[in-house]
Amino acid sequence: MNVVKCTLAAVALSLPLVTQVQASCEAGEVKVVMSLVTAVKGHPKGETASALAERVNTQMNGRMCMEVYGSSELYNDDDVFQAMLDGKVQMAAPSFSKFSAYTQKLQMFDLPFLFDDPVHALDFLASEGAQKLREEVRPAGFVGMGFWSNGMKQISSTRVLRKPSDAAGLTFRVQPSDVIEAQFNQMGASTKRLAFSKVYGALESGEVQGQQNTWSNIYTKDFHTVQNGVTESNHAYLGYLVVMPASFLDSLSRDMREEFVALFELTTHEYNRFSFETNQLRRQDIIDEEVLVIRLTDEEKQVWRDTFTPVYDQFSNVVGQDLIDAVRAAKSE
Ligand code: LMR
């Protein structure tokens, strides 16, 4: 196999390293600080957050200002919840897997091969059933503002993975989700829960030998440069629940809250549609750097599906069979 690894310099040349959107907040303006673990530029979540900040800073100038900090510069996803409750940050968009301390239901998104593609996911996220999931974080003091989309996950490794059993004996970095752990266990692999900011170092040092993520996360964090291939499995969906502390929203005047929510909803609607395209661009960036991308035949893909079927037996009661049925029903013909 011909695997050429890119240099960090090449990555830096192709995508500027922007980690922040800073606003010059004036006295008297209400400040919204958003903390992200991902890149800001060239990433679906970062681009959506930047667009929202730009709108807030233009259209609500003098009353509200918004800053976005990316790449875990402020917090990791496990400590951002407390930072929000402490009033240090007013907005975050952790992936669904990061909410297991508050609800088991969002782990449904981690079920392998539940979503066919990002369009299917967006159709479900627009449904009444999905919108109700936003309420799951209310008892913990958060308002679920809405969903931001990333895309489908791929699996990268130091080994070339054509079938799930090729991963036997390897250790994969996972998000804090029992469902994801069960998925890798079905492959005969072990797992290690690590914050997103620790993944590159763990792959580079060999602490873990693989991970799963979207093209945009893999490319913007250089994971592909320390792996020997990426299997285009498209096996699960990565999306985010955007959360804000209820106490912060309650402290705003009604007009200001409504204006902010309207800008949030408009930006969400417009930018979620770009998430697929952004991931396809990052996929091409990876291919352009001559990293091995392993495309699966239909027969091979069926082996992956069959391998992961037992995960449903384990978790359909935990996440709720009704929710799984609702996702399947949301598939447009
Ligand atoms: C991860 O931890 O792999 C992702 O949740 C990062 C992200 O926010 O996309």
Coordinates of all heavy atoms in Angstrom, one line a residue, residues 164-235:
P164 N -14.4 -5.3 9.9 CA -14.3 -5.0 11.3 C -13.2 -5.8 12.0 O -12.5 -5.3 12.9 CB -15.7 -5.3 11.8 CG -16.6 -5.3 10.6 CD -15.7 -5.7 9.4
S165 N -13.1 -7.1 11.7 CA -12.2 -7.9 12.5 C -10.7 -7.6 12.2 O -9.8 -8.0 12.9 CB -12.4 -9.4 12.2 OG -12.3 -9.6 10.8
D166 N -10.4 -6.8 11.2 CA -9.0 -6.3 10.9 C -8.6 -5.4 12.1 O -7.4 -5.2 12.3 CB -8.9 -5.4 9.7 CG -9.1 -6.3 8.4 OD1 -8.8 -7.5 8.5 OD2 -9.5 -5.7 7.4
A167 N -9.5 -5.0 12.9 CA -9.2 -4.1 14.0 C -8.9 -4.9 15.3 O -8.6 -4.2 16.4 CB -10.3 -3.1 14.3
A168 N -9.0 -6.2 15.3 CA -8.9 -7.0 16.5 C -7.6 -6.7 17.2 O -6.5 -6.6 16.6 CB -9.0 -8.5 16.1
G169 N -7.6 -6.5 18.5 CA -6.4 -6.3 19.3 C -5.9 -4.8 19.3 O -5.1 -4.5 20.2
L170 N -6.5 -3.9 18.5 CA -6.1 -2.5 18.5 C -6.9 -1.8 19.6 O -8.0 -2.2 20.0 CB -6.3 -1.9 17.2 CG -5.5 -2.4 16.0 CD1 -5.9 -1.6 14.7 CD2 -4.0 -2.4 16.2
T171 N -6.4 -0.6 20.0 CA -7.1 0.3 20.9 C -7.6 1.5 20.2 O -6.7 2.2 19.5 CB -6.3 0.6 22.1 OG1 -5.9 -0.6 22.8 CG2 -7.1 1.5 23.1
F172 N -8.8 1.9 20.3 CA -9.4 3.1 19.6 C -9.8 4.1 20.6 O -10.4 3.8 21.7 CB -10.6 2.7 18.8 CG -10.2 1.9 17.5 CD1 -9.9 0.6 17.6 CD2 -10.2 2.6 16.3 CE1 -9.5 -0.1 16.5 CE2 -9.8 1.9 15.2 CZ -9.5 0.5 15.2
R173 N -9.5 5.4 20.3 CA -10.0 6.5 21.1 C -11.5 6.6 20.9 O -11.9 6.6 19.7 CB -9.3 7.8 20.7 CG -9.9 9.0 21.4 CD -11.0 9.7 20.7 NE -11.7 10.7 21.5 CZ -12.5 11.6 21.0 NH1 -12.9 11.6 19.8 NH2 -13.1 12.4 21.8
V174 N -12.2 6.8 22.0 CA -13.7 7.0 21.8 C -14.1 8.2 22.6 O -13.5 8.6 23.6 CB -14.5 5.7 22.2 CG1 -14.3 4.6 21.3 CG2 -14.2 5.3 23.7
Q175 N -15.3 8.7 22.2 CA -16.0 9.7 23.0 C -16.7 8.9 24.2 O -16.8 7.7 24.1 CB -17.0 10.4 22.1 CG -16.5 11.1 20.9 CD -17.5 12.0 20.3 OE1 -18.1 12.9 21.0 NE2 -17.7 11.9 19.1
P176 N -17.2 9.7 25.2 CA -17.7 9.0 26.3 C -19.1 8.4 26.1 O -20.1 9.0 26.5 CB -17.8 10.1 27.4 CG -17.8 11.4 26.6 CD -17.1 11.1 25.4
S177 N -19.2 7.3 25.3 CA -20.4 6.7 25.0 C -20.3 5.2 25.1 O -19.5 4.6 24.4 CB -20.8 7.1 23.5 OG -21.7 6.2 22.9
D178 N -21.2 4.6 25.8 CA -21.3 3.1 26.0 C -21.6 2.5 24.6 O -21.1 1.4 24.3 CB -22.3 2.7 27.0 CG -22.0 3.2 28.4 OD1 -20.9 3.6 28.6 OD2 -22.9 3.2 29.2
V179 N -22.4 3.1 23.8 CA -22.7 2.6 22.5 C -21.5 2.5 21.6 O -21.2 1.5 21.0 CB -23.8 3.5 21.8 CG1 -24.1 3.0 20.4 CG2 -25.1 3.5 22.6
I180 N -20.7 3.5 21.6 CA -19.5 3.5 20.8 C -18.5 2.4 21.3 O -17.9 1.7 20.5 CB -18.8 4.9 20.7 CG1 -19.7 5.9 20.1 CG2 -17.5 4.9 19.9 CD1 -19.2 7.4 20.1
E181 N -18.4 2.3 22.6 CA -17.5 1.3 23.1 C -18.0 -0.1 22.7 O -17.2 -1.0 22.3 CB -17.5 1.4 24.7 CG -16.6 2.5 25.1 CD -16.5 2.7 26.6 OE1 -17.5 2.3 27.3 OE2 -15.6 3.3 27.1
A182 N -19.3 -0.3 22.7 CA -19.8 -1.6 22.3 C -19.6 -1.9 20.9 O -19.3 -3.0 20.5 CB -21.3 -1.7 22.6
Q183 N -19.7 -0.9 20.1 CA -19.4 -1.0 18.6 C -18.0 -1.5 18.4 O -17.7 -2.4 17.6 CB -19.6 0.4 18.0 CG -19.2 0.4 16.5 CD -18.8 1.8 16.1 OE1 -19.5 2.7 16.2 NE2 -17.5 1.9 15.7
F184 N -17.0 -0.9 19.1 CA -15.6 -1.3 18.9 C -15.4 -2.7 19.5 O -14.5 -3.5 19.0 CB -14.6 -0.3 19.5 CG -14.4 0.9 18.5 CD1 -15.0 2.1 18.7 CD2 -13.6 0.7 17.4 CE1 -14.8 3.2 17.8 CE2 -13.4 1.7 16.5 CZ -14.0 3.0 16.7
N185 N -16.1 -3.0 20.6 CA -15.9 -4.3 21.1 C -16.4 -5.4 20.2 O -15.8 -6.5 20.1 CB -16.6 -4.4 22.5 CG -16.0 -3.6 23.5 OD1 -14.8 -3.2 23.4 ND2 -16.7 -3.2 24.6
Q186 N -17.4 -5.1 19.4 CA -17.8 -6.0 18.4 C -16.8 -6.3 17.3 O -16.8 -7.3 16.6 CB -19.1 -5.5 17.7 CG -20.4 -5.6 18.5 CD -20.7 -6.9 19.0 OE1 -20.6 -7.9 18.3 NE2 -21.1 -7.0 20.3
M187 N -15.8 -5.3 17.2 CA -14.8 -5.5 16.2 C -13.6 -6.2 16.8 O -12.5 -6.4 16.2 CB -14.3 -4.1 15.7 CG -15.4 -3.3 15.0 SD -15.0 -1.5 14.8 CE -13.6 -1.6 13.7
G188 N -13.7 -6.6 18.1 CA -12.6 -7.2 18.8 C -11.5 -6.2 19.2 O -10.4 -6.6 19.5
A189 N -11.9 -5.0 19.3 CA -10.9 -3.9 19.6 C -11.2 -3.4 21.1 O -12.3 -3.6 21.6 CB -11.0 -2.8 18.7
S190 N -10.2 -2.8 21.7 CA -10.4 -2.1 23.0 C -10.6 -0.6 22.7 O -10.4 -0.1 21.6 CB -9.2 -2.3 23.8 OG -8.8 -3.6 23.9
T191 N -11.1 0.1 23.8 CA -11.3 1.5 23.6 C -10.7 2.3 24.8 O -10.5 1.7 25.9 CB -12.9 1.7 23.7 OG1 -13.4 1.2 24.9 CG2 -13.5 1.2 22.5
K192 N -10.5 3.5 24.5 CA -10.0 4.4 25.5 C -10.7 5.8 25.4 O -10.7 6.3 24.3 CB -8.5 4.6 25.4 CG -7.9 5.5 26.5 CD -6.4 5.2 26.7 CE -6.1 5.7 28.1 NZ -4.8 5.4 28.5
R193 N -11.4 6.2 26.5 CA -12.1 7.5 26.4 C -11.1 8.6 26.6 O -10.4 8.7 27.6 CB -13.2 7.6 27.5 CG -14.3 6.6 27.4 CD -15.3 6.7 28.4 NE -16.4 5.8 28.2 CZ -17.6 5.9 28.6 NH1 -18.0 6.9 29.3 NH2 -18.5 5.0 28.3
L194 N -11.1 9.5 25.6 CA -10.1 10.6 25.7 C -10.8 11.9 25.2 O -11.7 11.8 24.3 CB -8.9 10.4 24.8 CG -7.9 9.4 25.2 CD1 -6.9 9.2 24.1 CD2 -7.1 9.8 26.5
A195 N -10.5 13.0 25.8 CA -11.0 14.3 25.3 C -10.5 14.5 23.8 O -9.4 14.0 23.5 CB -10.5 15.5 26.2
F196 N -11.2 15.3 23.1 CA -10.9 15.5 21.7 C -9.5 16.1 21.6 O -8.7 15.8 20.6 CB -11.9 16.4 21.1 CG -11.8 16.6 19.6 CD1 -11.9 15.6 18.7 CD2 -11.7 17.9 19.0 CE1 -11.8 15.7 17.3 CE2 -11.6 18.1 17.7 CZ -11.7 17.0 16.8
S197 N -9.1 17.0 22.5 CA -7.8 17.7 22.4 C -6.7 16.7 22.6 O -5.5 17.1 22.4 CB -7.8 18.8 23.5 OG -8.0 18.3 24.7
K198 N -6.9 15.6 23.2 CA -5.9 14.6 23.5 C -5.7 13.6 22.3 O -4.8 12.7 22.4 CB -6.2 13.8 24.7 CG -6.3 14.7 26.0 CD -5.0 15.0 26.6 CE -5.1 15.7 27.9 NZ -4.7 17.1 27.9
V199 N -6.6 13.6 21.3 CA -6.6 12.5 20.4 C -5.3 12.5 19.5 O -4.6 11.4 19.4 CB -7.8 12.5 19.5 CG1 -7.8 11.4 18.5 CG2 -9.1 12.5 20.3
Y200 N -4.9 13.6 19.0 CA -3.7 13.7 18.1 C -2.5 13.1 18.8 O -1.8 12.2 18.3 CB -3.4 15.1 17.6 CG -2.2 15.1 16.7 CD1 -2.3 14.8 15.4 CD2 -1.0 15.4 17.3 CE1 -1.1 14.8 14.6 CE2 0.2 15.4 16.5 CZ 0.1 15.1 15.2 OH 1.3 15.1 14.4
G201 N -2.3 13.6 20.1 CA -1.1 13.1 20.8 C -1.2 11.7 21.1 O -0.1 11.0 21.0
A202 N -2.4 11.2 21.4 CA -2.5 9.7 21.7 C -2.2 8.9 20.5 O -1.7 7.8 20.6 CB -3.9 9.5 22.3
L203 N -2.7 9.4 19.3 CA -2.4 8.6 18.1 C -0.9 8.7 17.8 O -0.3 7.7 17.4 CB -3.2 9.2 16.9 CG -4.7 9.0 16.9 CD1 -5.3 9.9 15.8 CD2 -5.1 7.6 16.8
E204 N -0.3 9.8 17.9 CA 1.1 10.0 17.6 C 2.0 9.2 18.5 O 3.0 8.5 18.0 CB 1.5 11.5 17.7 CG 2.8 11.8 17.1 CD 3.2 13.2 17.4 OE1 2.9 13.8 18.5 OE2 3.9 13.8 16.6
S205 N 1.7 9.1 19.8 CA 2.5 8.4 20.7 C 2.3 6.9 20.6 O 3.0 6.1 21.2 CB 2.3 8.9 22.1 OG 1.0 8.4 22.5
G206 N 1.1 6.5 20.0 CA 0.8 5.0 20.0 C 0.0 4.6 21.2 O -0.3 3.4 21.3
E207 N -0.4 5.5 22.0 CA -1.3 5.2 23.2 C -2.6 4.5 22.7 O -3.1 3.6 23.3 CB -1.6 6.5 24.0 CG -2.4 6.3 25.2 CD -2.8 7.6 25.8 OE1 -2.4 8.7 25.4 OE2 -3.6 7.5 26.8
V208 N -3.1 5.1 21.6 CA -4.2 4.4 20.9 C -3.7 4.2 19.4 O -2.9 5.0 18.9 CB -5.5 5.2 20.9 CG1 -6.0 5.3 22.4 CG2 -5.4 6.6 20.3
Q209 N -4.3 3.3 18.7 CA -3.9 3.1 17.3 C -4.9 3.5 16.3 O -4.7 3.4 15.1 CB -3.6 1.6 17.1 CG -2.4 1.0 17.9 CD -2.7 0.7 19.3 OE1 -3.7 0.0 19.5 NE2 -1.9 1.1 20.2
G210 N -6.1 4.0 16.8 CA -7.1 4.4 15.8 C -8.2 5.2 16.5 O -8.1 5.4 17.7
Q211 N -9.1 5.7 15.7 CA -10.2 6.6 16.2 C -11.2 6.6 15.1 O -11.0 6.2 14.0 CB -9.7 8.0 16.6 CG -9.1 8.8 15.4 CD -10.1 9.5 14.6 OE1 -11.0 10.2 15.2 NE2 -10.0 9.4 13.3
Q212 N -12.4 7.1 15.5 CA -13.4 7.4 14.4 C -13.9 8.8 14.5 O -14.0 9.4 15.6 CB -14.6 6.4 14.6 CG -15.4 6.6 15.9 CD -16.7 5.8 16.0 OE1 -16.8 4.8 15.3 NE2 -17.6 6.2 16.8
N213 N -14.1 9.4 13.4 CA -14.5 10.8 13.3 C -14.9 11.2 11.9 O -14.8 10.4 11.0 CB -13.4 11.7 13.9 CG -14.0 12.6 15.0 OD1 -15.1 13.2 14.8 ND2 -13.3 12.7 16.1
T214 N -15.4 12.4 11.8 CA -15.8 12.9 10.5 C -14.6 13.4 9.7 O -13.5 13.6 10.3 CB -16.8 14.1 10.6 OG1 -16.1 15.1 11.4 CG2 -18.1 13.7 11.3
W215 N -14.7 13.5 8.4 CA -13.6 14.0 7.6 C -13.1 15.4 8.1 O -11.9 15.6 8.1 CB -14.1 14.2 6.1 CG -14.5 12.9 5.4 CD1 -15.7 12.6 5.0 CD2 -13.6 11.8 5.1 NE1 -15.7 11.3 4.4 CE2 -14.4 10.9 4.4 CE3 -12.2 11.5 5.3 CZ2 -13.9 9.6 4.0 CZ3 -11.7 10.3 4.8 CH2 -12.5 9.4 4.2
S216 N -14.1 16.2 8.5 CA -13.6 17.6 8.9 C -12.9 17.5 10.2 O -11.9 18.2 10.4 CB -14.9 18.5 9.1 OG -15.8 17.9 9.9
N217 N -13.3 16.7 11.2 CA -12.5 16.5 12.4 C -11.1 15.9 12.2 O -10.1 16.3 12.7 CB -13.3 15.7 13.4 CG -14.2 16.6 14.2 OD1 -14.1 17.8 14.2 ND2 -15.2 16.0 14.9
I218 N -11.1 14.9 11.3 CA -9.8 14.2 11.0 C -8.9 15.1 10.4 O -7.7 15.3 10.8 CB -10.1 13.0 10.1 CG1 -10.9 11.9 10.8 CG2 -8.8 12.3 9.6 CD1 -11.4 10.7 9.9
Y219 N -9.3 15.9 9.4 CA -8.4 16.8 8.6 C -8.0 18.0 9.5 O -6.8 18.3 9.5 CB -9.1 17.2 7.3 CG -8.1 18.1 6.5 CD1 -7.1 17.4 5.8 CD2 -8.2 19.5 6.5 CE1 -6.1 18.2 5.1 CE2 -7.2 20.2 5.8 CZ -6.2 19.6 5.1 OH -5.3 20.3 4.4
T220 N -8.9 18.6 10.1 CA -8.5 19.9 10.8 C -7.7 19.6 12.0 O -7.0 20.5 12.5 CB -9.7 20.7 11.2 OG1 -10.6 19.9 12.0 CG2 -10.5 21.2 10.0
K221 N -7.7 18.4 12.5 CA -6.8 18.0 13.7 C -5.7 17.1 13.3 O -5.0 16.5 14.2 CB -7.7 17.4 14.8 CG -8.7 18.4 15.4 CD -7.9 19.4 16.2 CE -8.8 20.7 16.4 NZ -8.0 21.9 16.6
D222 N -5.5 16.9 12.0 CA -4.3 16.2 11.5 C -4.2 14.7 11.9 O -3.1 14.1 11.8 CB -3.0 16.9 12.0 CG -2.9 18.3 11.5 OD1 -3.3 18.6 10.4 OD2 -2.3 19.1 12.3
F223 N -5.3 14.2 12.3 CA -5.3 12.7 12.7 C -4.8 11.9 11.5 O -4.1 10.9 11.8 CB -6.7 12.2 13.1 CG -7.3 12.9 14.2 CD1 -8.7 12.9 14.4 CD2 -6.6 13.7 15.1 CE1 -9.3 13.5 15.5 CE2 -7.1 14.3 16.2 CZ -8.5 14.2 16.4
H224 N -5.1 12.2 10.3 CA -4.7 11.4 9.1 C -3.2 11.4 9.0 O -2.7 10.5 8.3 CB -5.4 12.0 7.9 CG -5.0 13.4 7.6 ND1 -5.3 14.4 8.4 CD2 -4.3 13.9 6.5 CE1 -4.8 15.6 7.9 NE2 -4.2 15.3 6.8
T225 N -2.5 12.3 9.5 CA -1.0 12.4 9.4 C -0.3 11.3 10.2 O 0.9 11.1 10.1 CB -0.5 13.8 9.6 OG1 -0.6 14.1 11.0 CG2 -1.1 14.8 8.8
V226 N -1.1 10.8 11.2 CA -0.4 9.8 12.1 C -1.2 8.5 12.1 O -1.3 7.7 13.0 CB -0.3 10.4 13.6 CG1 0.8 11.4 13.7 CG2 -1.6 11.0 14.0
Q227 N -1.9 8.3 10.9 CA -2.6 7.0 10.7 C -2.2 6.4 9.3 O -1.7 7.2 8.5 CB -4.1 7.3 10.7 CG -4.6 7.8 12.0 CD -4.9 6.8 13.1 OE1 -6.0 6.3 13.2 NE2 -3.9 6.3 13.8
N228 N -2.4 5.1 9.1 CA -2.0 4.6 7.8 C -3.2 4.4 6.9 O -3.0 3.9 5.8 CB -1.4 3.2 8.1 CG 0.0 3.4 8.6 OD1 0.7 4.4 8.3 ND2 0.5 2.5 9.5
G229 N -4.4 4.8 7.3 CA -5.5 4.8 6.4 C -6.8 5.2 7.0 O -6.9 5.1 8.3
V230 N -7.7 5.6 6.2 CA -9.1 5.9 6.7 C -10.1 5.1 6.0 O -10.1 5.1 4.8 CB -9.4 7.4 6.5 CG1 -10.7 7.8 7.2 CG2 -8.3 8.3 7.0
T231 N -10.8 4.3 6.7 CA -11.9 3.5 6.1 C -13.1 4.3 5.9 O -13.7 4.8 6.9 CB -12.2 2.2 6.9 OG1 -10.9 1.5 7.0 CG2 -13.2 1.4 6.3
E232 N -13.6 4.4 4.7 CA -14.8 5.3 4.4 C -16.0 4.4 4.8 O -16.7 3.9 3.9 CB -14.8 5.7 3.0 CG -15.9 6.7 2.7 CD -15.6 7.4 1.3 OE1 -15.0 6.7 0.4 OE2 -16.1 8.5 1.2
S233 N -16.3 4.3 6.1 CA -17.4 3.5 6.6 C -18.7 4.2 6.6 O -19.8 3.6 6.6 CB -17.0 2.9 8.0 OG -16.6 4.0 8.8
N234 N -18.7 5.5 6.8 CA -19.9 6.3 6.9 C -20.9 5.6 7.9 O -22.1 5.6 7.6 CB -20.6 6.4 5.6 CG -19.9 7.5 4.7 OD1 -19.5 8.5 5.2 ND2 -19.7 7.1 3.4
H235 N -20.4 5.1 9.0 CA -21.2 4.2 9.8 C -22.0 4.8 10.9 O -22.9 4.2 11.4 CB -20.3 3.1 10.4 CG -19.4 3.7 11.4 ND1 -18.2 4.3 11.0 CD2 -19.4 3.7 12.8 CE1 -17.6 4.7 12.1 NE2 -18.3 4.4 13.2

